Amino acid sequence: MKNKGVFYLSVLFFFSLMSCVRNECRVTSPDGSLSMELGVREGVLSYRIFKDTTLVLDYSDMCWSVSGIQYGSRVEEIKVQDKSRETVSYEVLGGHAFAEEQYHRVLYKIVSDTFPESFLEVRAFNGGIAFRYLKPGKDTVSIGDFTEFSLPAETKVWLQGNVRYYEGDYQLYDVSALSEGQLAGPPVVLKYPDQDFYAAITESDLSNFAGMSLEVTEQGTFRSRLDGATVLSGDIHTPWRVVLVGSLNDLVNNDEITALSDSASPELFEHSESWLHPGKCVWSWLTGTGVSFENMKKFSALAGELGIEYNLVDEGWSSWQEGEKDGWALMKELVDYSSERGVKIWAWKAYPDRNGIPGIQTPERRAAFFQKCKETGIVGLKIDFFDSESQEITKYYQETLEEAARYGLMINFHGCNKPTGLNRSYPNEMCREGIKGYEYGVSTDCNVTLPFTRLLAGHGDATPLMMNPGQMNGTTMAHQLASAVVYSSPLLCLAAHPEEIAQSPNRDFIVSMPVVWDETVVLPPSEIGELVLFARRSGDVWYVAGMTKAPQDFELALSFLDNKKQYRVLSVMDVAEQPCLTANEEDTVEGGERLAVRMNARGGFVAKISPL
């Protein structure tokens, strides 16, 4: 009887993982809530995705090409080559100290008499579906990708159209209003009628391969659009095509983009604890302060007084000159001066040649520049102006992070595409831009939209916390404080002048605020484009941060707290008709109680909640 029971359990697991009848196959998530149906329709390999019984993506073609040969069309059969249930766990700097994901994996062999042997790998997580194409071989070939993502009728779509460096405004569209040829830089977020879940389309594990944007090819259908040619040799696999599914809280906490990437090299990062440190950073670019040697000394001195870890010296430092001293000699003086005050230096550098100064676009220039940075004592580099996600650029990211790790350097990519989980393989990628941040001016629309769109892909250097009234664009000071919590990144570059921080009544809140978190909870009534309300935990201390377009006044349930403990609450709220002022309140609460939240139009709210 015992052996018979094991047999039945094995059969049950097999069918929960994958059923395959008449060449129509289904892969389900470990909890059974998500499923992907695969089949051959009129000779074309296609798929659908369901959340329980609700359609997430309708019939969509799965086609790609190898040196002009179309794969995925004229398919005769798909066969299960391998299947398993797997778990991946890891630690990365970011929204979670530790993450663990389970998934069902199925490898299919694609049979056709018109193209050589190829495979499709599918991984079904509880929070999303991922798939990629594979082909064994030895030759050098060019790759194309024509994967489709077909949206059900009445779906609404959040997308931005900048596919060069991803600094676009996310706009809301009805699926019927999407125009043929319209471009979208992922993540593209889908909102379903009368449903409490969303979906997001993007990619993962992108390196040495042209990045994927999306193009509308017919009403309601996006198709993969690669940024130029991809040429590879030997065994080939494409990046993962990823569809995340869940509530806003599920999407914000989804780790699958990172989980699909390779783990870091133990040898390369064996001693990284000595040089790889998250932290806040003062930054002069938006303060109206020139990048002069004396100004940067002043910024380092102020950062030291505040206990802020880094000073980022932006474009202009390489042209410094003082007598016989060139930019490098003066940078070494700045590094030493800053070190005495407990502050370390990040330096800006352009990838291409710029303003007569050579870039670091070649391996030789890059290695020489990294060596000079190491000798000077610079700890991190902000590398700018990629403006592409071609194969050349994505390969450069990987090679740069690997070489930077050998020199003990942290990296912040700017003028670049969306993140795709490379920070798991190379945790010295502290952040990247690929986001419409405060360099474009403060935008309430961006602040209540980006946390549920672009930031689903990973960290974004939005440079929050503007404290100059002339630059706050009608937002309140509480809104700006909340932006620093919501836009958190392992390297958190602040827009405010350090003198403004030093003189602020909220100085202690800003200085003590973490940049990495153990837990994040998206709280109601959060809504894309209207209101963002996060609770974030670091150790046993919680921070609540909200930003809104319209005025808000409600009671917030503190359900995320331990209801057996008492907590001290320091709240920072808007003051009516005084956007640059805040009302600071102190109270004691127990877990499970409610907290009064009030926000003005374009306002905000923050609270620090510590156990007594």
Side-chain angles (χ1 to χ4, degrees):
M1 289 296 293
K2 182 177 180 181
N3 290 337
K4 187 176 181 180
V6 169
F7 171 76
Y8 285 145
L9 286 173
S10 299
V11 171
L12 179 63
F13 168 72
F14 178 82
F15 279 101
S16 69
L17 172 66
M18 181 275 308
S19 60
C20 189
V21 180
R22 294 184 180 178
N23 214 38
E24 292 183 355
C25 307
R26 178 187 291 264
V27 187
T28 62
S29 60
D31 67 1
S33 65
L34 276 184
S35 61
M36 181 181 193
E37 287 186 357
L38 292 164
V40 179
R41 296 190 308 138
E42 299 179 353
V44 178
L45 181 63
S46 65
Y47 72 98
R48 293 193 297 174
I49 294 177
F50 289 87
K51 169 73 169 173
D52 297 318
T53 59
T54 302
L55 189 64
V56 175
L57 290 178
D58 209 342
Y59 286 113
S60 306
D61 292 347
M62 307 179 85
C63 295
W64 64 307
S65 66
V66 179
S67 293
I69 300 174
Q70 184 87 356
Y71 284 61
S73 60
R74 300 185 68 177
V75 174
E76 297 175 2
E77 187 181 5
I78 51 177
K79 295 181 177 179
V80 175
Q81 186 81 3
D82 187 30
K83 61 182 183 293
S84 59
R85 177 168 180 157
E86 300 183 12
T87 300
V88 58
S89 58
Y90 51 90
E91 293 182 69
V92 294
L93 297 175
H96 313 275
F98 177 80
E100 183 173 275
E101 297 283 345
Q102 292 185 343
Y103 59 88
H104 286 156
R105 171 187 174 273
V106 182
L107 182 67
Y108 294 98
K109 182 177 181 180
I110 313 302
V111 180
S112 172
D113 61 358
T114 61
F115 57 80
E117 180 179 74
S118 67
F119 299 88
L120 172 72
E121 183 177 0
V122 179
R123 294 186 184 180
F125 298 82
N126 292 336
I129 303 287
F131 58 91
R132 64 178 179 178
Y133 309 112
L134 305 96
K135 179 187 175 302
K138 299 179 180 179
D139 299 334
T140 299
V141 295
S142 59
I143 310 297
D145 184 357
F146 311 101
T147 305
E148 290 184 346
F149 305 86
S150 295
L151 281 52
E154 300 182 13
T155 305
K156 294 186 181 296
V157 186
W158 285 97
L159 64 83
Q160 65 86 23
N162 186 326
V163 299
R164 288 182 57 212
Y165 45 89
Y166 283 71
E167 296 170 22
D169 283 310
Y170 270 87
Q171 303 289 340
L172 181 63
Y173 296 85
D174 289 317
V175 64
S176 59
L178 294 174
S179 304
E180 186 173 339
Q182 189 164 357
L183 301 180
V188 169
V189 176
L190 312 180
K191 183 178 181 180
Y192 298 90
D194 304 319
Q195 299 294 331
D196 60 357
F197 68 85
Y198 302 76
I201 303 169
T202 189
E203 65 179 327
S204 175
D205 195 26
L206 172 64
S207 60
N208 194 24
F209 204 99
M212 180 189 77
S213 59
L214 299 175
E215 181 177 3
V216 178
T217 54
E218 57 182 285
Q219 191 175 88
T221 299
F222 287 105
R223 178 181 291 169
S224 172
R225 174 187 177 274
L226 300 184
D227 188 2
T230 294
V231 178
L232 296 170
S233 300
D235 295 337
I236 294 166
H237 64 77
T238 67
W240 293 97
R241 284 34 188 133
V242 182
V243 182
L244 308 177
V245 184
S247 66
L248 291 181
N249 185 62
D250 294 333
L251 293 184
V252 168
N253 285 286
N254 195 302
D255 290 301
E256 289 156 26
I257 294 171
T258 313
L260 289 161
S261 300
D262 293 335
S263 58
S265 162
E267 180 182 358
L268 196 59
F269 292 94
E270 182 179 6
H271 302 294
S272 61
E273 70 279 356
S274 65
W275 58 271
L276 202 164
H277 301 289
K280 289 186 282 291
C281 185
V282 297
W283 179 55
S284 66
W285 197 257
L286 296 182
T287 67
T289 306
V291 184
S292 68
F293 175 63
E294 289 301 322
N295 282 339
M296 292 303 95
K297 285 178 66 178
K298 181 178 180 180
F299 267 63
S300 286
L302 288 165
E305 292 173 11
L306 290 166
I308 291 177
E309 296 91 337
Y310 298 115
N311 178 12
L312 195 160
V313 183
D314 217 282
E315 183 175 16
W317 69 268
S318 56
S319 299
W320 287 346
Q321 191 76 39
E322 189 178 289
E324 298 295 320
K325 300 175 185 177
D326 64 3
W328 283 110
L330 290 169
M331 177 62 85
K332 181 66 170 69
E333 283 191 24
L334 177 64
V335 167
D336 294 342
Y337 175 88
S338 303
S339 179
E340 293 171 359
R341 289 152 179 81
V343 177
K344 297 181 179 179
I345 296 296
W346 282 67
W348 179 94
K349 180 63 180 174
Y351 163 77
D353 296 349
R354 180 172 165 84
N355 297 330
I357 299 173
I360 53 171
Q361 64 274 68
T362 68
E364 296 78 16
R365 287 184 181 182
R366 180 177 58 201
F369 187 79
F370 283 7
Q371 178 63 39
K372 196 72 173 176
C373 288
K374 182 70 173 178
E375 294 170 356
T376 306
I378 292 167
V379 299
L381 292 173
K382 174 181 176 179
I383 307 177
D384 205 348
F385 293 115
F386 294 97
D387 299 346
S388 166
E389 55 181 336
S390 65
Q391 181 184 14
E392 176 187 4
I393 296 300
T394 63
K395 182 180 180 182
Y396 182 91
Y397 292 154
Q398 181 180 13
E399 293 174 343
T400 296
L401 290 166
E402 184 170 330
E403 187 160 7
R406 295 193 174 95
Y407 286 92
L409 292 170
M410 297 175 281
I411 298 294
N412 175 9
F413 291 122
H414 260 239
C416 59
N417 60 298
K418 78 276 184 185
T420 59
L422 199 61
N423 57 309
R424 182 186 176 200
S425 308
Y426 300 95
N428 57 328
E429 180 184 301
M430 302 299 282
C431 59
R432 64 169 67 187
E433 193 178 27
I435 190 170
K436 188 171 184 181
Y438 278 17
E439 283 185 284
Y440 288 86
V442 174
S443 167
T444 307
D445 286 333
C446 284
N447 286 351
V448 295
T449 301
L450 292 173
F452 305 120
T453 51
R454 157 61 181 85
L455 290 175
L456 301 181
H459 46 219
D461 190 13
T463 65
L465 190 63
M466 185 69 73
M467 301 180 74
N468 182 333
Q471 296 174 291
M472 289 167 59
N473 193 27
T475 61
T476 67
M477 191 58 68
H479 183 109
Q480 288 302 314
L481 292 170
S483 74
V485 177
V486 172
Y487 281 119
S488 191
S489 173
L491 176 70
L492 185 61
C493 292
L494 302 175
H497 196 293
E499 283 183 344
E500 295 171 328
I501 298 174
Q503 296 166 9
S504 170
N506 301 298
R507 167 180 172 158
D508 290 345
F509 179 91
I510 297 167
V511 170
S512 65
M513 180 186 65
V515 299
V516 294
W517 305 93
D518 299 316
E519 185 178 357
T520 298
V521 181
V522 179
L523 302 171
S526 293
E527 183 178 347
I528 305 177
E530 298 295 334
L531 169 69
V532 53
L533 188 62
F534 280 10
R536 299 193 121 161
R537 180 179 61 82
S538 176
D540 57 2
V541 178
W542 285 88
Y543 286 73
V544 177
M547 296 183 288
T548 183
K549 284 175 65 175
Q552 303 284 342
D553 195 345
F554 58 90
E555 296 286 316
L556 172 65
L558 302 176
S559 54
F560 51 89
L561 298 179
D562 186 338
N563 59 14
K564 297 180 181 179
K565 291 183 179 181
Q566 284 191 323
Y567 295 84
R568 178 188 182 215
V569 180
L570 297 176
S571 301
V572 183
M573 295 191 187
D574 293 325
V575 175
E577 309 302 327
Q578 298 289 332
C580 293
L581 296 181
T582 56
N584 295 22
E585 300 177 3
E586 186 171 345
D587 201 356
T588 301
V589 299
E590 293 183 357
E593 290 187 0
R594 292 179 176 270
L595 186 66
V597 174
R598 184 185 67 252
M599 293 185 267
N600 295 344
R602 298 188 179 185
F605 172 85
V606 290
K608 181 178 180 180
I609 307 176
S610 309
L612 289 173

